[in-house]
């Protein structure tokens, strides 16, 4: 017997199968990881992707498999198919795609099951009394037998016995030799959620909307096919729909994956699911330790759970017999991986559904442009939940024009109106959330008097302020401009770069309300493991009345006592140099506003902005997704951005400033030469440029990029592949990374 192996080397030259002979008596299956000799190296890890009876190569040239690394296939056959799909669509090697399928620490065997030694009593009844009598003169052995006889199941951990009786390993060995007991190792499972109180929630009576939606989803699960986009406003009760659909799937003996964005995978969310599924659910997310992750993965692999809840990479959970894949907050950019392999969890999910006859359910209060457009084309069945549970009203949103505040002499971060709302909320003993968008580092220049923002003359994005050289630069075309001293529109001198951070808001809060307790949640305060969870729990327990935070507080949280939400500066996101800034702003504002008034009290949202007329702000204030979608699609079509185009970005990084520039330039020349040879592709190019990255230096490394925008039609895939291939050419001391539709263009 022979097998075809993909060796675990991420290099295009070896990106194919290699044939090995299976030694007599070795039991191997497709998907098992093995050690094989490779070139002059003695053992390299690999994955078996095929087993055959015959082999075309002369026998002398075929080497033998050395050993299997596990006694089960680490990669399910279905997931080998998915890996092949990812290789074909993201231009990575098959070995890289296969690495997605099992915990990283299994490579190089950096992690193992945690084993414990235990002892079991073998003597029963009369034999026990006899055995005990025989040990009369050996008090330690005598005690061991007594302890075991009294223990549940007649077994105990060795560590536990030693705790009770002192070191008794010699006595144990003697008893083992005598055949009175058996010493064995058993696996210890690391459980990531011991600390969470398992709430046992009762099932609520479904609302009419939930019933209607489920009446379409459940039959599809029975049938084993269907792709849905569930568009439900915040608070419409989507989670309950998920739970019922998952339970239905489990009843059919099938399994389900529920993907949620990493930051929404709060202990709240996990506890909620576990309260309904208990041991039947496994959780995978990046805050798990390597050991916990490995143990959860193996629990899933052994078929001990029906449901897996997790962030992006949980889409590769080794479940068999999948009946349902749910992707909550499907618009989240974090479902796109930015590092190789650059897969999109939504696309992988769709593929797994097709190969397993499962139902795909995407859900969001603010669907992505792409998914809503696909639903419009009929690729997905659109399901809608336009009302909140029990007719709870959507919050009132007050748009506050910050340009007027300035003319009235208010230079504080709070407008008069927001301050009134905040005071009212605090005095009535309710809770408030203040949202500050301080993401990334790019800043833009705006006029505090009229709201004017410096935009590029050639592109529909704001220009980015670079403190080095004190200039503005367009990130899309490279155009540079000086920072204006007076506003070109109104002549005011109050024109400068923008940026309010969480710290500044908290300071001002303390000045205005010295007796009010606040919590701050941002990158600085959530560095430690579980910090996120602890802060949220404190807020939930009302240890603080006001929560101040960045986008990490925007999603999925359900605080019944929050009646006021303040958005301190809606513009910070609107003016990021990113074609998706309007979409992101709309999503964020809608999600944040959705935090207010979740229980019985009506919520109020105060939204401060310098551009109150912007369509993203207007439609978000009315939670009018459709109006936003129409306006944004029209703009995207006109300026040729995704979903009409694909953006490919090759980033060059090096400590050597000269070299990184030269390397990027030659990468650019290569792609240009490629297009010169393929005239028919040229008309699809929207832009092709080489320039320094907006963040020019990170960790002492200088950064350049080659940026390609091309119409998203099949014939152009070749160009995307070429960019990827160019990025794979090794350059000494320069790292090159290829990103396709990257989530950030910094
Ligand atoms: P969404 O995810 O759509 O924003 P949630 O699933 O968080 O909304 O639901 C909003 C609130 O409504 C939650 O507090 C949830 O417990 C509650 N809820 C959902 N369905 C029902 C129901 N059928 N009856 C009563 N309460 C419900
Ligand atoms: Zn102005
Ligand atoms: Zn430009």
């Amino acid at each position: 017997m022979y097998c075809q192996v993909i060796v675990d080397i991420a290099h295009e030259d070896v990106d194919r199968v290699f044939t090995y002979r299976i030694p007599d008596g070795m039991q191997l299956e497709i998907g098992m990881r093995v050690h094989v000799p490779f070139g002059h190296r003695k053992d390299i890890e690999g994955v078996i992707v095929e087993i055959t009876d015959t082999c075309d190569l002369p026998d002398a040239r075929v080497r033998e498999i050395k050993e299997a690394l596990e006694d089960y296939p680490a990669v399910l056959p279905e997931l080998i198919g998915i890996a092949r799909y990812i290789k074909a669509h993201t231009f990575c090697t098959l070995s890289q795609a296969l690495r997605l399928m099992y915990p990283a620490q299994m490579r190089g065997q950096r992690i193992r099951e945690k084993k414990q030694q235990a002892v079991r009593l073998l003597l029963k009844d009369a034999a026990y009394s006899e055995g005990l009598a025989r040990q009369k003169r050996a008090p330690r052995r005598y005690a061991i037998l007594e302890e075991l006889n009294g223990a549940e199941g007649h077994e105990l951990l060795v560590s536990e016995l030693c705790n009770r009786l002192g070191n008794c390993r010699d006595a144990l060995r003697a008893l083992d030799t005598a055949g009175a007991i058996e010493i064995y190792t058993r696996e210890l499972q690391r459980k990531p959620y011991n600390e969470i109180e398992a709430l046992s929630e009762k099932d609520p009576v479904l609302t009419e909307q939930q019933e209607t939606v489920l009446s379409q989803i459940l039959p599809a699960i029975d049938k084993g096919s269907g792709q849905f986009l569930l568009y439900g406003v915040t608070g419409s009760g989507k989670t309950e729909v998920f739970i019922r659909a998952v339970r239905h799937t489990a009843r059919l003996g099938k399994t389900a994956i529920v993907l949620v964005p990493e930051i929404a995978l709060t202990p709240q969310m996990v506890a909620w699911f576990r309260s309904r599924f208990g041991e039947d659910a496994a959780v995978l997310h990046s805050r798990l330790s390597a050991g916990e992750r490995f143990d959860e993965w193996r629990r899933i692999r052994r078929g001990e759970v029906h449901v897996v809840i997790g962030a992006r990479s949980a889409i590769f959970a080794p479940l068999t017999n999948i009946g349902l894949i749910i992707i909550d907050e499907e618009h989240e950019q974090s479902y796109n991986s930015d590092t190789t392999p650059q897969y999109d969890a939504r696309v992988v999910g769709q593929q797994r559904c097709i190969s397993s006859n499962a139902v795909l359910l995407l859900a969001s209060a603010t669907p992505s442009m792409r998914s809503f457009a696909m639903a419009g084309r009929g690729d997905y069945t659109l399901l809608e939940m336009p009302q909140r549970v029990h007719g709870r009203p959507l919050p009132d949103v007050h748009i506050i024009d910050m340009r007027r505040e300035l003319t009235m002499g208010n230079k504080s971060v709070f407008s008069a109106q927001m301050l009134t709302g905040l005071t009212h909320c605090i005095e009535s003993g309710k809770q408030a959330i203040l949202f500050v968008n301080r993401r990334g580092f790019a800043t833009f220049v705006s006029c505090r008097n009229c709201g004017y923002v410096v935009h590029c003359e050639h592109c529909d994005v704001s220009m980015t302020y670079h403190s080095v050289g004190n200039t503005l630069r367009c990130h899309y075309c490279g155009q540079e401009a000086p920072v204006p001293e007076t506003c070109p529109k109104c002549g005011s001198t109050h024109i400068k770069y923008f940026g309010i951070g969480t710290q500044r808001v908290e300071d001002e809060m303390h000045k205005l309300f010295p007796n009010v307790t606040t919590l701050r949640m941002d990158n600085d305060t959530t560095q430690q493991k579980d910090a996120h969870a602890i802060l949220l729990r404190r807020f939930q327990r009302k240890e603080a009345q006001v929560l101040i935070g960045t986008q990490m507080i925007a999603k999925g949280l359900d605080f019944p006592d929050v009646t006021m939400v303040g958005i301190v500066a809606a513009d910070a996101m609107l003016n990021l140099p990113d074609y998706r800034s309007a979409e992101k702003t709309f999503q964020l504002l809608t999600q944040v506003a959705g935090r207010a008034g979740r229980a019985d009290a009506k919520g109020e949202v105060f939204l401060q902005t310098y551009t109150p007329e912007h369509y993203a702000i207007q439609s978000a204030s009315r939670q009018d997704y459709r109006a936003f979608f129409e306006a944004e699609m029209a703009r995207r079509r006109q300026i040729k951005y995704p979903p009409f185009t694909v953006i490919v970005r090759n980033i060059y990084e090096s400590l050597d400033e000269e070299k990184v520039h030269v390397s990027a330039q030659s990468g650019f020349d290569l792609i240009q030469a490629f297009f010169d040879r393929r005239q028919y592709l040229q008309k699809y190019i929207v832009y092709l440029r080489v320039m320094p990255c907006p963040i020019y230096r990170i960790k002492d490394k200088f950064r350049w990029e080659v940026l390609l925008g091309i119409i998203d039609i099949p014939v152009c895939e070749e160009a995307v592949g070429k960019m990827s291939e160019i990025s794979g050419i090794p350059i000494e001391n320069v790292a090159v990374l290829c990103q396709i539709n990257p989530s950030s263009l910094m």
Side-chain angles (χ1 to χ4, degrees):
M1 295 291 272
Y2 301 89
C3 59
Q4 311 291 337
V5 173
I6 294 289
V7 291
D8 190 22
I9 302 173
H11 199 286
E12 274 158 43
D13 294 348
V14 294
D15 189 20
R16 59 185 177 86
V17 291
F18 291 89
T19 305
Y20 288 88
R21 188 171 30 251
I22 303 177
D24 289 341
M26 193 184 279
Q27 295 295 319
L28 294 177
E29 286 173 61
I30 290 178
M32 275 190 172
R33 299 193 320 124
V34 287
H35 264 153
V36 294
F38 191 78
H40 52 268
R41 289 163 71 175
K42 267 199 302 226
D43 39 46
I44 280 203
E45 292 182 6
V47 175
I48 299 177
V49 295
E50 225 184 303
I51 295 182
T52 49
D53 298 336
T54 55
C55 161
D56 305 337
L57 296 168
D59 234 29
R61 284 190 49 204
V62 181
R63 299 162 84 176
E64 277 194 346
I65 298 274
K66 208 164 153 219
E67 59 183 346
L69 297 177
E70 289 93 18
D71 55 7
Y72 58 90
V75 186
L76 293 172
E78 186 227 329
L79 288 171
I80 295 178
I82 297 292
R84 288 205 169 102
Y85 178 89
I86 289 174
K87 168 188 155 70
H89 289 82
T90 73
F91 313 103
C92 65
T93 66
L94 190 52
S95 61
Q96 285 172 319
L98 285 168
R99 284 177 195 167
L100 297 167
M101 307 303 165
Y102 52 89
Q105 281 80 6
M106 280 170 76
R107 296 176 61 219
Q109 284 155 305
R110 283 167 291 154
I111 194 151
R112 281 162 213 284
E113 302 90 273
K114 202 164 169 184
K115 296 249 169 83
Q116 284 181 318
Q117 287 221 304
V119 241
R120 185 186 296 134
L121 182 64
L122 295 176
L123 304 173
K124 297 232 163 62
D125 310 324
Y128 170 71
S129 319
E130 238 170 76
L132 197 64
R134 215 173 294 142
Q135 303 300 348
K136 270 233 169 75
R137 309 256 292 280
R140 187 143 284 173
R141 296 184 211 166
Y142 193 93
I144 291 173
L145 292 179
E146 280 197 311
E147 287 285 350
L148 285 173
N149 195 45
E152 200 187 317
H154 292 188
E155 54 186 13
L156 279 172
L157 291 177
V158 171
S159 56
E160 177 62 32
L161 265 175
C162 291
N163 271 348
R164 294 186 196 173
L165 307 174
N167 187 353
C168 53
R169 288 180 199 272
D170 291 340
L172 282 171
R173 222 164 291 133
L175 285 168
D176 188 28
T177 320
I181 62 166
E182 177 189 23
I183 302 176
Y184 63 99
T185 48
R186 76 176 184 204
E187 191 181 326
L188 176 82
Q189 291 243 334
R190 285 155 283 212
K191 286 265 175 64
Y193 22 65
N194 282 336
E195 82 283 9
I196 292 163
E197 322 84 67
L199 332 155
S200 89
E201 290 279 339
K202 279 233 195 64
D203 286 357
V205 179
L206 293 177
T207 64
E208 210 171 296
Q209 271 185 161
Q210 289 168 329
E211 290 277 8
T212 311
V213 163
L214 282 164
S215 74
Q216 296 211 53
I217 300 170
L218 303 190
I221 297 172
D222 294 337
K223 204 166 62 162
S225 79
Q227 303 191 346
F228 299 95
L229 173 63
L230 170 57
Y231 159 48
V233 298
T234 55
S236 58
K238 293 187 285 297
T239 317
E240 193 60 37
V241 171
F242 302 160
I243 287 173
R244 301 298 171 102
V246 169
R247 203 184 280 159
H248 185 83
T249 310
R251 267 198 215 114
L252 295 174
K254 296 186 182 179
T255 59
I257 297 176
V258 182
L259 283 199
V260 293
E262 184 71 50
I263 53 174
L265 200 60
T266 57
Q268 242 180 335
M269 175 87 182
V270 173
W272 169 252
F273 256 89
R274 288 191 53 80
S275 72
R276 312 292 286 278
F277 293 104
E279 289 292 311
D280 207 17
V283 189
L284 292 174
H285 58 80
S286 67
R287 290 189 304 272
L288 297 183
S289 70
E292 288 168 343
R293 173 166 269 275
F294 179 57
D295 286 357
E296 282 294 82
W297 182 85
R298 289 182 49 261
R299 224 154 65 80
I300 302 165
R301 181 65 192 76
R302 284 195 302 257
E304 291 173 14
V305 301
H306 275 100
V307 198
V308 175
I309 303 150
R312 181 176 67 214
S313 61
I315 199 66
F316 302 112
L319 285 170
T320 50
N321 202 11
I322 296 181
L324 175 67
I325 295 180
I326 295 174
I327 304 185
D328 190 18
E329 315 274 9
E330 68 85 26
H331 61 274
E332 272 290 310
Q333 199 58 43
S334 63
Y335 287 128
N336 272 313
S337 163
D338 262 359
T339 51
T340 311
Q342 290 176 56
Y343 65 91
D344 177 337
R346 289 161 294 199
V347 175
V348 174
Q350 192 170 15
Q351 205 56 31
R352 280 199 89 173
C353 284
I354 293 167
S355 61
S356 312
N357 293 327
V359 166
L360 180 70
L361 174 59
L362 306 176
S364 176
T366 53
S368 64
M369 300 304 290
R370 179 177 171 274
S371 297
F372 206 75
M374 282 173 73
R377 282 207 314 252
D379 295 347
Y380 302 138
T381 306
L382 185 65
L383 304 172
E384 297 189 62
M385 301 212 294
Q387 267 116 39
R388 284 188 157 188
V389 171
H390 299 324
R392 282 172 201 155
L394 285 165
D396 284 334
V397 179
H398 310 281
I399 300 180
I400 301 155
D401 186 344
M402 291 303 279
R403 295 169 300 194
R404 266 203 240 133
E405 295 295 315
L406 191 84
T407 45
M408 292 187 309
N410 179 5
K411 286 186 184 158
S412 137
V413 298
F414 299 120
S415 60
Q417 210 183 337
M418 186 182 289
L419 200 56
T420 312
L422 193 55
T423 310
H424 178 252
C425 169
I426 286 169
E427 281 172 0
S428 55
K430 297 288 185 183
Q431 288 182 301
I433 292 179
L434 292 179
F435 179 78
V436 187
N437 195 301
R438 190 62 200 271
R439 161 184 221 157
F441 116 154
T443 46
F444 59 98
V445 168
S446 72
C447 171
R448 298 294 194 275
N449 185 48
C450 74
Y452 172 84
V453 174
V454 183
H455 274 72
C456 173
E457 317 182 291
H458 308 289
C459 312
D460 194 12
V461 293
S462 54
M463 296 186 89
T464 305
Y465 176 73
H466 288 245
S467 53
V468 186
N470 192 34
T471 59
L472 291 168
R473 188 177 293 136
C474 170
H475 175 41
Y476 281 81
C477 71
Q479 170 96 2
E480 276 197 47
V483 180
E485 279 169 17
T486 55
C487 171
K489 200 167 141 206
C490 75
S492 158
T493 52
H494 290 287
I495 184 160
K496 56 180 179 177
Y497 59 88
F498 201 87
I500 298 173
T502 42
Q503 180 71 61
R504 164 108 192 264
V505 174
E506 189 175 44
D507 291 348
E508 199 141 339
M509 265 299 301
H510 288 166
K511 254 184 252 149
L512 292 164
F513 305 95
N515 300 320
V516 172
T517 45
T518 59
L519 282 174
R520 181 159 64 90
M521 200 156 142
D522 54 25
N523 274 335
D524 296 337
T525 62
T526 52
Q527 286 302 315
Q528 274 151 342
K529 193 181 176 206
D530 297 332
H532 202 108
I534 292 165
L535 283 172
L536 290 178
R537 203 154 354 158
R538 287 177 56 195
F539 189 58
Q540 200 170 26
R541 290 199 190 123
K542 313 238 180 71
E543 286 173 33
Q545 211 174 351
V546 181
L547 175 65
I548 301 161
T550 56
Q551 66 272 8
M552 64 175 71
I553 62 173
K555 295 172 185 111
L557 315 175
D558 195 359
F559 298 111
D561 259 355
V562 171
T563 57
M564 185 265 178
V565 168
I567 296 157
V568 177
D571 313 68
M573 177 165 259
L574 202 50
N575 291 297
L576 283 181
D578 181 342
Y579 70 91
R580 272 171 309 224
S581 60
E583 182 180 5
K584 285 181 178 169
T585 304
F586 176 82
Q587 288 165 350
L588 206 69
L589 295 182
T590 310
Q591 303 280 352
V592 176
R595 297 307 114 215
R598 303 274 288 182
D600 297 323
K602 189 173 164 90
E604 278 200 292
V605 177
F606 297 88
L607 190 162
Q608 302 187 151
T609 172
Y610 288 92
T611 46
E613 63 286 346
H614 195 284
Y615 63 95
I617 290 180
Q618 285 293 331
S619 48
S621 75
R622 298 190 309 269
Q623 304 233 344
D624 186 347
Y625 176 77
R626 274 171 206 276
F628 173 75
F629 177 80
E630 299 300 334
E632 180 67 3
M633 276 306 254
R635 188 184 75 100
R636 296 271 183 98
R637 183 177 291 115
Q638 196 198 350
I639 59 179
K640 299 198 184 68
Y641 279 131
F644 302 99
T645 54
V646 189
I647 295 176
V648 194
R649 184 185 190 213
N650 283 358
I651 304 175
Y652 293 74
E653 291 187 332
S654 174
L655 291 170
D656 184 337
E657 188 170 11
E658 181 60 29
K659 189 153 187 188
V660 72
H661 180 181
V662 172
S663 309
Q665 186 62 48
S666 55
F668 174 78
D669 294 343
L670 284 173
I671 189 72
Q672 190 111 64
F674 165 84
F675 281 119
D676 286 343
R677 289 191 304 275
R678 285 178 178 64
Q679 293 292 330
Y680 59 91
L681 284 179
Q682 292 207 350
K683 62 172 176 288
Y684 302 120
I685 301 175
V686 183
Y687 46 82
L688 175 60
R689 302 189 172 95
V690 55
M691 62 181 171
C693 294
I695 303 180
Y696 181 46
R697 203 157 72 133
I698 292 179
K699 292 189 183 144
D700 295 328
K701 287 191 179 135
F702 297 95
R703 309 168 77 230
W704 276 72
E705 67 187 13
V706 178
L707 199 67
L708 167 69
I710 192 161
I711 303 293
D712 192 1
I713 50 172
V715 63
C716 295
E717 254 191 37
E718 191 190 356
V720 180
K722 188 70 190 176
M723 282 288 280
S724 171
E725 185 191 314
I726 292 170
S727 76
I729 301 169
I731 310 169
E732 206 182 333
N733 297 327
V734 180
V736 193
L737 174 71
C738 171
Q739 299 183 329
I740 299 162
N741 286 341
S743 56
S744 156
L745 289 167
M746 296 296 113

